């Protein structure tokens, strides 16, 4: 993972994901639950890939295209990303 001196923590990643999900026209604040499976959100794989690409750009790392299936909720994904960042790891 390519990162600066301060990598984002789990709460920052959760916040970023919530804000990004709310940019999807079909999503409403009532839809957002940190433990809700991504498969229950009102968007398809095309949107998931776009969000994954945006997340990769924000974190400055390569994420596998399957990241939303490997870590199926906002909380599990943000926790895994924060842990990897802390270890200097790479998902790609």
């Amino acid at each position: 993972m390519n990162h600066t001196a301060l990598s984002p923590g789990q709460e920052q990643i959760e916040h970023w994901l919530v804000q990004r999900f709310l940019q999807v026209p079909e999503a409403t604040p009532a839809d957002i639950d940190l433990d809700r499976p991504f498969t229950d959100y009102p968007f398809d794989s095309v949107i998931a890939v776009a969000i994954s690409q945006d997340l990769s750009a924000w974190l400055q790392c390569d994420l596998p295209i399957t990241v939303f299936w490997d870590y199926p909720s906002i909380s599990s994904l943000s926790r895994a990303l924060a842990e990897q960042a802390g270890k200097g790891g790479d998902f790609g």
Side-chain angles (χ1 to χ4, degrees), residues 24 26 38-39 41-51 68-69:
V24 176
E26 296 84 8
F38 292 130
T39 55
Y41 281 90
F43 41 79
D44 59 20
S45 60
V46 173
I47 292 172
V49 169
I51 293 172
F68 286 106
W69 289 268

Side-chain angles (χ1 to χ4, degrees), residues 4-39:
T4 59
L6 294 176
S7 297
Q10 182 175 349
E11 287 182 15
Q12 291 171 298
I13 297 168
E14 285 175 353
H15 178 77
W16 186 94
L17 286 166
V18 167
Q19 295 307 308
R20 181 60 181 86
F21 280 22
L22 288 173
Q23 293 175 10
V24 176
E26 296 84 8
T28 66
D31 291 325
I32 306 299
D33 179 329
L34 299 181
D35 295 314
R36 181 180 181 185
F38 292 130
T39 55

